[in-house]
Amino acid sequence: MLVMSARLDLGPERARYLRARPLHSVVFLLLLATVAAAEAPATRQSGFTRLTVANPMGGGAIQTVVWYPTTAPASLIKLGPFDLDVAINSEPEAGAHPFIVISHGTGGSNLGHHDTAIYLARHGFVVATPMHPGDNFQDTSAYGTDAQLFGRPRHVKAVLDAVVAHPVFGRVVDTARIGIVGMSAGGYTALVLVGGKADFSKPRIKSAVLLAPALGPAFDRAGLADVRVPIRLYRPEADEVLRHPYNAEHVRLMLPRAPEYSELPGAGHYVFLAPCSAVLAQQAPQICVDPSGVDRGALHARLNAEIEDFFRRTLQ
């Protein structure tokens, strides 16, 4: 009945043809029309623009990429070991779009989650991916210091403020619909920004996705008591970096509100990074090669859709 109630402009000849068909045939043809419309090639692509954001902690700037919906044509570009299908410096699609920040893990980069960023942009989100100064693949000088633990949340807040104030992107983000994705140390960053102690003012973030969050023992029930936003939490079963049950599982049990929780069978810590190009796989096999039986490309197709669905539901 849902299909039959759809309003389709069939034209007089098609309408007469359908009236002459059995009911089950009509339903089948209408279903085909609906599926064809849903699968029509999308004109929306992912834009790609670099921003340099001042570091509130001093020192090096926060090198940030903004990914956003655009109708400009995309092309395949190579940036170092990454292959990106994007429209560089294109005009953003008009409207008020949900805004997501992705915080990478220790030693990561602002391109490490590019497939998730592109997926979200093509589905109508503006996404910012900062590279945390002193905690990235080029410079790990802040690792294990206050500059990492206290700096990361401040980096994200500075990027949020910069994008919202930007003369172009500020016009197309909806400041009432802001979310965050964080992997490993980025998961710690996300927890702090949604109310976990250390005590930082919450920068308007309404929901968070945590990918194998690190530094779980830093949080207890009291420290997470103010985390009231919806959380989606992923734990890779074969995490070789963060010991179970002291990180993702610990966070799950300490949160005052049960998160949406998924365990990824057989997956290792780096499975959340974008599927590697051949060049990157050769340069850094430790972050590119997954355990036997784990198909990162297929897993990301599922994860990206789940993340988009989560933010679609929680950023209302």
Side-chain angles (χ1 to χ4, degrees):
M1 294 302 295
L2 176 62
V3 175
M4 293 301 293
S5 66
R7 296 180 60 86
L8 296 176
D9 184 9
L10 300 172
E13 292 301 320
R14 179 66 59 84
R16 281 195 294 272
Y17 172 76
L18 290 178
R19 283 196 295 269
R21 309 296 295 172
L23 179 59
H24 68 273
S25 298
V26 174
V27 173
F28 176 71
L29 289 168
L30 289 174
L31 277 170
L32 283 180
T34 303
V35 170
E39 293 182 349
T43 58
R44 181 187 279 154
Q45 298 292 339
S46 173
F48 177 102
T49 296
R50 294 186 182 274
L51 290 184
T52 298
V53 178
N55 185 353
M57 303 292 288
I62 308 167
Q63 301 301 331
T64 301
V65 176
V66 183
W67 321 71
Y68 48 91
T70 182
T71 55
S75 59
L76 187 65
I77 64 167
K78 292 184 178 293
L79 291 178
F82 300 102
D83 299 331
L84 310 175
D85 189 24
V86 292
I88 296 181
N89 297 329
S90 54
E91 185 71 19
E93 180 183 87
H97 301 283
F99 179 25
I100 308 298
V101 176
I102 300 179
S103 176
H104 64 73
T106 292
S109 84
N110 51 19
L111 299 178
H113 300 279
H114 63 81
D115 71 311
T116 300
I118 289 172
Y119 183 95
L120 290 172
R122 288 175 176 170
H123 286 77
F125 292 75
V126 174
V127 182
T129 56
M131 188 154 72
H132 292 284
D135 191 12
N136 59 71
F137 77 103
Q138 295 174 324
D139 175 14
T140 58
S141 60
Y143 178 71
T145 70
D146 287 351
Q148 180 195 38
L149 300 180
F150 296 103
R152 276 176 153 271
R154 291 190 170 102
H155 300 157
V156 171
K157 187 175 186 305
V159 167
L160 284 171
D161 291 341
V163 172
V164 169
H166 192 272
V168 174
F169 298 116
R171 300 198 309 265
V172 298
V173 297
D174 184 348
T175 57
R177 293 189 291 163
I178 297 178
I180 187 168
V181 177
M183 176 191 167
S184 196
Y188 154 84
T189 305
L191 275 174
V192 171
L193 287 164
V194 295
K197 303 293 189 291
D199 185 16
F200 291 91
S201 59
K202 295 179 236 179
R204 309 172 295 275
I205 293 172
K206 294 182 68 176
S207 59
V209 174
L210 310 180
L211 310 174
L215 300 168
F219 299 101
D220 57 14
R221 290 189 190 279
L224 295 179
D226 290 337
V227 179
R228 300 293 178 181
V229 303
I231 300 286
R232 185 164 183 84
L233 174 62
Y234 289 93
R235 183 181 84 82
E237 181 189 45
D239 195 323
E240 71 279 25
V241 176
L242 302 176
R243 289 182 61 197
H244 178 68
Y246 305 108
N247 291 281
E249 179 68 6
H250 175 79
V251 168
R252 182 178 77 88
L253 295 175
M254 294 298 106
L255 284 168
R257 172 180 174 178
E260 297 183 14
Y261 179 70
S262 290
E263 185 177 282
L264 307 181
H269 186 72
Y270 299 105
V271 76
F272 299 109
L273 297 176
C276 295
S277 66
V279 172
L280 185 57
Q282 185 174 25
Q283 292 177 350
Q286 69 275 15
I287 67 171
C288 292
V289 178
D290 296 302
S292 177
V294 175
D295 182 337
R296 190 180 299 192
L299 180 61
H300 274 237
R302 179 192 124 197
L303 290 180
N304 291 338
E306 289 178 353
I307 290 170
E308 189 240 338
D309 172 71
F310 172 76
F311 284 130
R312 195 73 66 189
R313 289 184 285 108
T314 58
L315 295 181
Q316 299 295 332

Short mmCIF file of all heavy atoms in Angstrom, two decimals, residues 86-109:
data_model
loop_
_atom_site.label_atom_id
_atom_site.label_comp_id
_atom_site.label_asym_id
_atom_site.label_seq_id
_atom_site.Cartn_x
_atom_site.Cartn_y
_atom_site.Cartn_z
N VAL A 86 37.69 14.16 -5.37
CA VAL A 86 37.13 15.38 -4.78
C VAL A 86 37.15 16.53 -5.78
O VAL A 86 37.82 16.47 -6.81
CB VAL A 86 37.93 15.81 -3.51
CG1 VAL A 86 37.74 14.81 -2.38
CG2 VAL A 86 39.42 15.98 -3.83
N ALA A 87 36.41 17.58 -5.45
CA ALA A 87 36.40 18.81 -6.23
C ALA A 87 37.13 19.88 -5.41
O ALA A 87 36.56 20.43 -4.46
CB ALA A 87 34.97 19.24 -6.54
N ILE A 88 38.37 20.15 -5.77
CA ILE A 88 39.21 21.04 -4.97
C ILE A 88 38.74 22.48 -5.06
O ILE A 88 38.48 23.01 -6.15
CB ILE A 88 40.69 20.93 -5.40
CG1 ILE A 88 41.21 19.51 -5.12
CG2 ILE A 88 41.56 21.95 -4.69
CD1 ILE A 88 42.65 19.30 -5.50
N ASN A 89 38.62 23.11 -3.89
CA ASN A 89 38.27 24.54 -3.76
C ASN A 89 37.00 24.91 -4.53
O ASN A 89 36.86 26.01 -5.06
CB ASN A 89 39.44 25.42 -4.24
CG ASN A 89 40.67 25.25 -3.39
OD1 ASN A 89 40.59 24.97 -2.20
ND2 ASN A 89 41.84 25.41 -3.99
N SER A 90 36.06 23.99 -4.56
CA SER A 90 34.80 24.24 -5.26
C SER A 90 33.83 25.01 -4.36
O SER A 90 34.05 25.16 -3.16
CB SER A 90 34.17 22.91 -5.69
OG SER A 90 34.04 22.05 -4.57
N GLU A 91 32.75 25.46 -4.95
CA GLU A 91 31.73 26.21 -4.22
C GLU A 91 30.86 25.22 -3.43
O GLU A 91 30.37 24.24 -3.99
CB GLU A 91 30.86 26.99 -5.19
CG GLU A 91 29.83 27.89 -4.55
CD GLU A 91 30.43 29.11 -3.87
OE1 GLU A 91 31.58 29.46 -4.20
OE2 GLU A 91 29.74 29.71 -3.02
N PRO A 92 30.66 25.47 -2.14
CA PRO A 92 29.80 24.55 -1.38
C PRO A 92 28.35 24.63 -1.82
O PRO A 92 27.87 25.67 -2.29
CB PRO A 92 29.94 25.05 0.07
CG PRO A 92 31.13 25.93 0.08
CD PRO A 92 31.25 26.51 -1.30
N GLU A 93 27.65 23.53 -1.68
CA GLU A 93 26.22 23.49 -1.90
C GLU A 93 25.53 24.39 -0.88
O GLU A 93 25.88 24.40 0.30
CB GLU A 93 25.74 22.05 -1.74
CG GLU A 93 24.26 21.83 -1.94
CD GLU A 93 23.91 20.37 -1.68
OE1 GLU A 93 23.66 20.02 -0.52
OE2 GLU A 93 23.91 19.59 -2.64
N ALA A 94 24.56 25.17 -1.32
CA ALA A 94 23.84 26.06 -0.41
C ALA A 94 23.03 25.26 0.58
O ALA A 94 22.69 24.10 0.36
CB ALA A 94 22.94 27.00 -1.21
N GLY A 95 22.72 25.88 1.70
CA GLY A 95 21.89 25.23 2.71
C GLY A 95 22.56 25.27 4.06
O GLY A 95 23.65 25.84 4.23
N ALA A 96 21.89 24.69 5.05
CA ALA A 96 22.42 24.60 6.41
C ALA A 96 22.71 23.13 6.69
O ALA A 96 21.80 22.34 6.98
CB ALA A 96 21.43 25.16 7.41
N HIS A 97 23.97 22.74 6.59
CA HIS A 97 24.36 21.33 6.65
C HIS A 97 24.88 20.95 8.03
O HIS A 97 25.56 21.75 8.69
CB HIS A 97 25.45 21.06 5.61
CG HIS A 97 25.05 21.37 4.21
ND1 HIS A 97 24.24 20.55 3.47
CD2 HIS A 97 25.31 22.44 3.41
CE1 HIS A 97 24.04 21.07 2.27
NE2 HIS A 97 24.68 22.23 2.22
N PRO A 98 24.61 19.72 8.47
CA PRO A 98 25.23 19.25 9.72
C PRO A 98 26.75 19.31 9.58
O PRO A 98 27.29 19.15 8.49
CB PRO A 98 24.73 17.80 9.85
CG PRO A 98 23.60 17.67 8.89
CD PRO A 98 23.80 18.68 7.81
N PHE A 99 27.42 19.49 10.71
CA PHE A 99 28.86 19.73 10.72
C PHE A 99 29.53 18.70 11.63
O PHE A 99 29.17 18.58 12.80
CB PHE A 99 29.12 21.16 11.21
CG PHE A 99 30.56 21.57 11.30
CD1 PHE A 99 31.54 20.97 10.52
CD2 PHE A 99 30.94 22.59 12.17
CE1 PHE A 99 32.86 21.37 10.61
CE2 PHE A 99 32.26 22.99 12.27
CZ PHE A 99 33.23 22.38 11.48
N ILE A 100 30.49 17.97 11.08
CA ILE A 100 31.19 16.91 11.81
C ILE A 100 32.69 17.20 11.81
O ILE A 100 33.26 17.59 10.79
CB ILE A 100 30.97 15.53 11.13
CG1 ILE A 100 29.48 15.25 10.91
CG2 ILE A 100 31.63 14.43 11.96
CD1 ILE A 100 28.65 15.19 12.17
N VAL A 101 33.32 17.01 12.96
CA VAL A 101 34.79 17.05 13.05
C VAL A 101 35.28 15.63 13.27
O VAL A 101 34.71 14.88 14.06
CB VAL A 101 35.26 17.96 14.19
CG1 VAL A 101 36.78 17.92 14.32
CG2 VAL A 101 34.81 19.40 13.97
N ILE A 102 36.35 15.24 12.55
CA ILE A 102 36.97 13.94 12.74
C ILE A 102 38.35 14.16 13.35
O ILE A 102 39.21 14.82 12.75
CB ILE A 102 37.10 13.16 11.42
CG1 ILE A 102 35.71 12.92 10.80
CG2 ILE A 102 37.80 11.82 11.65
CD1 ILE A 102 35.73 12.17 9.48
N SER A 103 38.56 13.60 14.54
CA SER A 103 39.84 13.72 15.25
C SER A 103 40.62 12.42 15.09
O SER A 103 40.18 11.36 15.55
CB SER A 103 39.59 14.02 16.73
OG SER A 103 40.81 14.06 17.46
N HIS A 104 41.79 12.50 14.45
CA HIS A 104 42.58 11.31 14.18
C HIS A 104 43.30 10.81 15.43
O HIS A 104 43.37 11.49 16.46
CB HIS A 104 43.61 11.59 13.07
CG HIS A 104 44.65 12.61 13.44
ND1 HIS A 104 45.68 12.35 14.31
CD2 HIS A 104 44.83 13.89 13.01
CE1 HIS A 104 46.46 13.41 14.43
NE2 HIS A 104 45.95 14.38 13.66
N GLY A 105 43.85 9.61 15.34
CA GLY A 105 44.59 9.04 16.44
C GLY A 105 46.03 9.53 16.49
O GLY A 105 46.49 10.29 15.62
N THR A 106 46.75 9.09 17.51
CA THR A 106 48.15 9.46 17.65
C THR A 106 48.94 9.06 16.41
O THR A 106 48.83 7.94 15.91
CB THR A 106 48.75 8.77 18.88
OG1 THR A 106 48.15 9.33 20.05
CG2 THR A 106 50.25 8.96 18.96
N GLY A 107 49.74 10.00 15.90
CA GLY A 107 50.55 9.73 14.71
C GLY A 107 49.76 9.73 13.42
O GLY A 107 50.29 9.32 12.38
N GLY A 108 48.51 10.19 13.45
CA GLY A 108 47.66 10.19 12.26
C GLY A 108 47.79 11.46 11.44
O GLY A 108 48.73 12.24 11.59
N SER A 109 46.82 11.68 10.57
CA SER A 109 46.85 12.86 9.70
C SER A 109 45.43 13.31 9.39
O SER A 109 44.45 12.63 9.70
CB SER A 109 47.59 12.55 8.40
OG SER A 109 46.73 11.95 7.45
#
